[in-house]
Amino acid sequence: MENRAVIITGGGGFVGRHLIAELQATKAFDRIIVFDRNMADFGPGVESYALDITDIESKKELIRKVQPTWVIHLAAIAGVGFSIEHPDITRTINVFGTKSLLETTISASPATKFLVISSADIYGAVSSDPIPELSLASARPRNPYAESKLEMEALIEKEFNDRCIRVRPFPHVGPGQQKGFVTADFASQIAAIEAGTSEPIISVGNLTAVRDFSDVRDVVRAYRLLLERGVVGEAYHVASGVGRSIESVLTSLLAMSRVAIRTELDQSRMRPSDTPTVVGNAEKLKAATGWNPAIPFEQTLADVLNDWRNRK
Ligand code: A2R
């Protein structure tokens, strides 16, 4: 039998840990290798290497030996806030890190294919509801993170399209996500209030924005299905197709709280140039792979809140 190996860059992050669980549960690969700038123990069956992807040259011999069937490229600066403060670092990692990953891997392992994770943030100010996969020329990014993902996709379209599938996930949430993302921010505050370590007040930003949230576990299932059935050279959305206001997310989480909590507006959490409604159309993904979201959103929120309750 063919020995199938996958390299996951950024496998130590929020999505990576769920992706590894998905690939292990489905026995999709014989060998799973993680490259991440943070060293981590993923348990049996996963080899991991501490590596900054901008220094991928140092792993060229390993890649030559492994001849991975797929590279799933998650490593990135994923936070909009950080990207606004550090646009140069964001571009270096998200654009030039990707370029060097692609060049180095292809030169060491010419048959490898890539699943590259971009972002629906590239659309920015585009107002279409729901948004289908649009050309890069129509994207209107509104922050350095989105700009870097757009530039990365443009590079792939131009030079590496014959070996890459691109994915544009809409916001995804679930257990393990760090603060800086809306459900994690709310749930972490509720958990701290329940534990008696915070005042019973939640500070909130723009609650009127409508976003399309998926459960990260549904998202990583989509990534696995794209490896099996996606078409190289194409870009796919991963989205629920359902718009939810941030206010409704907060209301649902507050309803799960074990204590009474009041809310307070925090100007510093009002992101500049927010787009009022962003909902994605994932029909292309569904047609190609048969994917559909499986986890009810209320379940996702309950799992996120329980995750924060259990964090030490
Ligand atoms: O930023 P850190 O220190 O938490 O490390 C992140 C890692 N990473 C890198 N690894 C190697 N070389 C780099 N230059 C580099 N820069 C960042 O990638 C982290 O361990 C992982 C990304 O995980 P998260 O920040 O938790 O992002 P998440 O939500 O898992 O997003 C995965 C992908 C990204 O491409 C997003 O832009 C996209 O999905 O939405």
Side-chain angles (χ1 to χ4, degrees), residues 25-288:
T26 56
K27 299 189 172 29
F29 291 93
D30 304 304
R31 194 169 172 191
I32 298 176
I33 297 169
V34 168
F35 291 163
D36 195 291
R37 64 180 173 186
N38 303 301
M39 198 58 203
D41 181 6
F42 298 93
V46 180
E47 298 160 56
S48 76
Y49 298 87
L51 169 75
D52 193 302
I53 53 155
T54 56
D55 180 35
I56 188 76
E57 247 330 279
S58 64
K59 289 289 172 287
K60 193 165 177 175
E61 265 324 294
L62 176 69
I63 296 168
R64 197 189 305 282
K65 283 197 195 108
V66 172
Q67 297 291 309
T69 314
W70 284 97
V71 170
I72 306 176
H73 181 38
L74 300 171
I77 297 299
V80 170
F82 181 93
S83 82
I84 291 168
E85 282 165 34
H86 305 282
D88 294 342
I89 297 175
T90 303
R91 187 163 182 247
T92 299
I93 293 177
N94 293 5
V95 182
F96 303 117
T98 301
K99 185 173 200 289
S100 119
L101 172 75
L102 287 160
E103 284 173 349
T104 304
T105 307
I106 291 164
S107 75
S109 177
T112 296
K113 292 176 285 182
F114 300 82
L115 187 78
V116 179
I117 314 306
S118 174
S119 171
D121 273 19
I122 65 167
Y123 295 122
V126 170
S127 61
S128 154
D129 182 13
I131 306 175
E133 285 84 356
L134 298 175
S135 71
L136 298 182
S138 46
R140 295 286 176 271
R142 301 187 104 152
N143 56 61
Y145 167 71
E147 283 162 10
S148 73
K149 290 285 182 172
L150 179 60
E151 190 176 351
M152 175 191 82
E153 280 209 50
L155 170 80
I156 291 171
E157 262 196 2
K158 190 157 165 252
E159 293 181 36
F160 304 99
N161 223 21
D162 57 341
R163 41 185 100 233
C164 293
I165 295 175
R166 285 168 283 140
V167 195
R168 297 177 194 149
F170 284 68
H172 35 296
V173 300
Q177 194 166 33
Q178 295 308 311
K179 289 183 201 172
F181 299 88
V182 69
T183 54
D185 282 347
F186 291 156
S188 62
Q189 291 180 74
I190 293 173
I193 293 165
E194 287 179 346
T197 55
S198 275
E199 292 293 303
I201 302 166
I202 291 204
S203 55
V204 296
N206 179 5
L207 294 180
T208 61
V210 171
R211 294 291 179 265
D212 179 332
F213 295 100
S214 293
D215 188 295
V216 65
R217 294 160 289 192
D218 281 333
V219 171
V220 296
R221 190 164 42 82
Y223 293 174
R224 175 182 57 79
L225 289 170
L226 281 170
L227 303 181
E228 291 169 16
R229 299 176 208 161
V231 176
V232 168
E234 295 290 328
Y236 295 88
H237 285 173
V238 182
S240 72
V242 178
R244 297 173 198 278
S245 71
I246 306 298
E247 183 163 23
S248 73
V249 172
L250 178 59
T251 303
S252 295
L253 279 168
L254 286 175
M256 295 173 195
S257 168
R258 295 167 182 159
V259 295
I261 295 173
R262 65 189 171 83
T263 55
E264 198 172 78
L265 195 67
D266 175 358
Q267 285 301 337
S268 71
R269 287 171 189 259
M270 302 290 284
R271 236 189 233 164
S273 56
D274 239 339
T275 314
T277 299
V278 183
V279 177
N281 173 328
E283 293 308 315
K284 185 173 170 182
L285 168 71
K286 290 178 184 176

